Amino acid sequence: MSKNFIALLSGIIFGLGLSVSQMINPNKVINFLDIFGQWDPSLAFVMMGALLVTFISFRLVLKRPEPLLEEGFHLSKRTDIDKALVTGAALFGVGWGMSGYCPGPAVANLGSGGFEAIIMVLSIYVGFFSQKWFSNRNS
Amino acid sequence: MLGGALIGLSVTLLLLFNGRMAGVSGIMNGLFQAPKDERIWRSTFLLGLIIGAIIFQAVLPDFFTPRQGYPIWLVAVGGFFVGVGTRLGNGCTSGHGICGIANLSKRSIFATLIFMGFGMVTVYIIRHVL
């Protein structure tokens, strides 16, 4: 089994999970974020369901000296809370609230989510490249 | 809960076999930025996301219909902010919210609280102020 096949399988299960949980539905996401209006708290259980699994599984997996198909785990070792993290997370939150899509559901919707998903994914890439261009210019 | 557990299973697979944290924004970004031999698994993962959603819709076609009539400029500008923000902050809902929190990363816990908070304030302003 190659790493590319595992990634495909992982992506399929992720896409199924986003669909089953309705994270893929931008209206549902916006209703989840609308705590002062018609709040729909059900998506909080999606995160809880995922964390219930990963809290246990990550501990077991990371006990291993290395992953099954790769030399070493690719983990971030950073612990600092800097201005970029705070600004970035805030901007992401604003964009998420405006559109109702975070990156996973945006991509998963490309197959059948219509025109909106295409615009969303293209705009995310414009954002990626703009940020890169801007940080290169400033360094 | 079931959908969330599937997402948990998916990110566990990628960590156990490939040693990677399944952060979707990072995987998307690397599709055009990472070294050439690091791009194939990223494209198969993203393709898998699309296939998973298509399989679900083939089985339960009435479950979800695409949103109609939502202002497209909110999607375009929102997408731009999502792109810039996830690069600056090194992650999104999956990378920080699920992988990072499971790993008890202080950065991820902090980032998740911030993007949830700003998402809620943004929806409040759009729905109840404007």
Side-chain angles (χ1 to χ4, degrees), chain A residues 34 57 69 74 98-99 112 125, chain B residues 12 17 19 28 57 67 70:
Chain A
D34 192 10
S57 67
L69 300 175
H74 300 264
M98 286 175 79
S99 62
S112 40
Y125 274 106
Chain B
T12 301
F17 284 87
M28 281 177 82
Q57 261 154 34
R67 181 168 61 177
Y70 192 78

Side-chain angles (χ1 to χ4, degrees), chain A residues 3-4 10 12 27 31 34 46-47 50 57 59 68-69 74-75 80 88-89 93 98-99 102 112 116 123 125 132, chain B residues 4 10 12 16-19 21 28 33 41 44 48 57 66-67 70 76 85 93 97 102 107 115 119-120 127-128:
Chain A
K3 285 190 277 187
N4 299 330
S10 169
I12 291 175
N27 281 331
N31 286 340
D34 192 10
V46 179
M47 199 166 175
S57 67
R59 261 148 209 88
L68 294 171
L69 300 175
H74 300 264
L75 304 173
D80 58 310
M98 286 175 79
S99 62
C102 53
S112 40
E116 258 192 11
S123 307
Y125 274 106
K132 191 176 186 222
Chain B
S10 151
T12 301
L16 173 63
F17 284 87
N18 295 10
M21 290 287 182
M28 281 177 82
Q33 313 264 3
W41 75 265
T44 57
Q57 261 154 34
R67 181 168 61 177
Y70 192 78
T93 335
R107 276 170 64 83
F115 67 68
M120 287 167 179
R127 275 210 174 151
H128 308 291

Side-chain angles (χ1 to χ4, degrees), chain B residues 1 23 27 29 41 52 75 88 90 93 106 110 124:
Chain B
M1 285 290 263
I27 293 175
N29 181 55
W41 75 265
V75 176
L88 261 182
N90 293 111
T93 335
K106 201 174 72 178
F110 214 79
Y124 178 76

Side-chain angles (χ1 to χ4, degrees), chain A residues 43-122:
Chain A
L43 289 187
F45 292 100
V46 179
M47 199 166 175
M48 277 169 52
L51 284 174
L52 220 60
V53 173
T54 52
F55 256 112
I56 300 164
S57 67
F58 275 31
R59 261 148 209 88
L60 296 174
V61 169
L62 293 173
K63 260 189 209 157
R64 304 177 52 86
E66 54 181 25
L68 294 171
L69 300 175
E70 171 89 353
E71 292 165 16
F73 289 100
H74 300 264
L75 304 173
S76 166
K77 291 182 183 66
R78 291 182 63 179
T79 54
D80 58 310
I81 291 171
D82 59 345
K83 216 166 79 184
L85 181 81
V86 176
T87 318
L91 266 180
F92 166 45
V94 172
W96 190 31
M98 286 175 79
S99 62
Y101 295 100
C102 53
V107 173
N109 260 307
L110 281 178
S112 40
F115 183 59
E116 258 192 11
I118 299 168
I119 296 294
M120 184 68 197
V121 170
L122 286 177

Side-chain angles (χ1 to χ4, degrees), chain B:
Chain B
M1 285 290 263
L2 171 69
L6 282 172
I7 295 171
L9 174 67
S10 151
V11 302
T12 301
L13 266 180
L14 204 68
L15 186 68
L16 173 63
F17 284 87
N18 295 10
R20 296 277 175 179
M21 290 287 182
V24 179
S25 61
I27 293 175
M28 281 177 82
N29 181 55
L31 189 61
F32 299 108
Q33 313 264 3
K36 285 268 185 297
D37 58 339
E38 287 291 320
R39 292 184 187 182
I40 302 171
W41 75 265
R42 291 166 192 273
S43 47
T44 57
F45 178 87
L46 295 171
L47 190 68
L49 271 181
I50 301 173
I51 295 173
I54 290 177
I55 292 174
F56 182 83
Q57 261 154 34
V59 178
L60 291 170
D62 301 327
F63 206 68
F64 165 61
T65 44
R67 181 168 61 177
Q68 301 284 339
Y70 192 78
I72 198 71
W73 73 269
L74 279 174
V75 176
V77 178
F80 177 77
F81 285 160
V82 169
V84 174
T86 52
R87 277 308 82 220
L88 261 182
N90 293 111
C92 61
T93 335
S94 49
H96 281 311
I98 292 166
C99 296
I101 290 187
N103 225 4
L104 289 176
S105 150
K106 201 174 72 178
R107 276 170 64 83
S108 291
I109 295 168
F110 214 79
T112 305
L113 290 174
I114 294 174
F115 67 68
M116 289 260 179
F118 273 82
M120 287 167 179
V121 170
T122 304
V123 168
Y124 178 76
I125 293 171
I126 290 174
R127 275 210 174 151
H128 308 291
V129 178
L130 295 182

